[in-house]
Every structure is written in structure tokens, then in C-alpha cells.
Amino acid sequence: MGAAAVMIDEEVWPPELLLVEHSYRARGAWGLPGGSLDSIPGDPTRPGNPSSRDDVLESALRREVAEELGIEITSVRLLRVDAIPDVAEEPGPYRLDFFYRCSPRQGFAMLRDGLASGRLKPQSPEISQMRLVPLPELNDYDLYSSGARLLRKDLPRLEPGLMQLASSKT
């Protein structure tokens, strides 16, 4: 299972999304920040595993984004769950990806300033670079398949006001 952060700054024109470039992907290098969920110890055939918390996915997402990008996130809200068939980097025939709409704890202005000044850089060798990308420019990026599907097909349906805002001209 994986968790991905959908961080969209709606205070700028056009709205911008935080994308990261993964160093380990030859194709679909650009995607959403996040990562895989660590396995929970215990017997999955026995109910009531006491080590399992209700917020395990959100915690994994917060941990991954902090470790890889040096960003704390807040306002975590489940946006979409998607079953991804046959992901080469992951074991098994399917992977479940949980997409969360969230924001940087320090705000998008601080994020933008940190990226522009070079003070905010990827903290993991898995991430080559990160940038805020205007929503109308997403098609210019070689997006990882699950993120591409969410951003190009599902996001217009899930957040119609946002997508209308991104495509309108004023």
C-alpha cells in the first residue's frame, strides 16, 4: 500500500501542485510525494492486532514526506483510493494507493520561498528535485501512472471547482 500527498496551492494563479522527481524511475519519474506503508507486525489472520493504529496511513504519509522532503504536512483528508495493477517496483499483482489532500504546515508561501531560495531541498536520494507546477502544465511532465490517472482523470471529477479555476482565464 502507498500513500501520496496532493498539495495544491489555490492562493496563486493558476493553482500549483507540488511534484517530485523520483531518481529511481526511468519512466514516469515525476509524481506526488509519499511512499509505501511499512508492514505492521503481527498475525493478519487474527483480528484486533493491538499494534495497529487507526491513522497508520496518515502517519506513514507524514513520515515519508518529512523524511524525503523535509516538509511537515497538515490538513490531511482522504481524496481517493486506487488499485494499481502490476507496479514493477512493488511486490504482488496489485498495489493500493491512498491519495490525501493536504498542505504544508508552514504554508505554501514558505514552501515557495524555500524552493526558490534553494533552502528547501530533497532530503532523500530517492528524490532528484521538487517543484510547484501550475495545474495547466501537468501534461508537460512524465507522470507516474497512478498519479497521472488521479491528476488527469479523477481530480477534475473530485475537485471540479479547483479544475475550473485552473482552466479559466481572468
Side-chain angles (χ1 to χ4, degrees):
M1 288 192 293
V6 180
M7 290 192 267
I8 302 173
D9 183 358
E10 297 180 53
E11 299 299 319
V12 296
W13 181 257
E16 295 179 336
L17 170 77
L18 182 66
L19 286 182
V20 296
E21 183 180 34
H22 295 96
S23 61
Y24 55 88
R25 289 193 182 126
R27 292 184 49 214
W30 286 94
L32 298 166
S36 296
L37 180 67
D38 293 333
S39 294
I40 298 171
D43 183 352
T45 64
R46 301 184 79 155
N49 183 347
S51 65
S52 178
R53 298 188 331 258
D54 290 339
D55 68 344
V56 69
L57 288 167
E58 293 91 340
S59 295
L61 180 61
R62 290 175 197 279
R63 175 183 44 79
E64 286 288 329
V65 172
E67 287 176 1
E68 293 181 352
L69 307 181
I71 299 171
E72 290 183 46
I73 57 173
T74 187
S75 303
V76 177
R77 174 180 58 90
L78 183 62
L79 186 62
R80 172 97 166 92
V81 178
D82 202 0
I84 312 302
D86 194 31
V87 177
E89 295 95 16
E90 302 294 333
Y94 286 93
R95 169 188 169 112
L96 282 178
D97 279 341
F98 293 76
F99 296 95
Y100 289 90
R101 184 78 190 265
C102 50
S103 302
R105 182 173 300 281
Q106 300 299 321
F108 282 101
M110 295 280 290
L111 174 63
R112 179 171 279 97
D113 182 55
L115 290 171
S117 68
R119 288 189 315 269
L120 183 59
K121 296 179 183 177
Q123 305 294 304
S124 167
E126 293 179 6
I127 306 297
S128 302
Q129 58 180 314
M130 54 187 178
R131 66 174 62 148
L132 286 164
V133 175
L135 290 179
E137 295 177 20
L138 288 177
N139 287 331
D140 297 340
Y141 287 79
D142 181 22
L143 295 174
Y144 182 58
S145 60
S146 64
R149 183 171 39 251
L150 172 85
L151 297 171
R152 293 181 179 142
K153 294 183 179 177
D154 294 333
L155 196 59
R157 179 179 51 79
L158 296 169
E159 303 274 348
L162 173 67
M163 300 312 285
Q164 288 173 347
L165 179 67
S167 63
S168 67
K169 296 180 180 179
T170 58

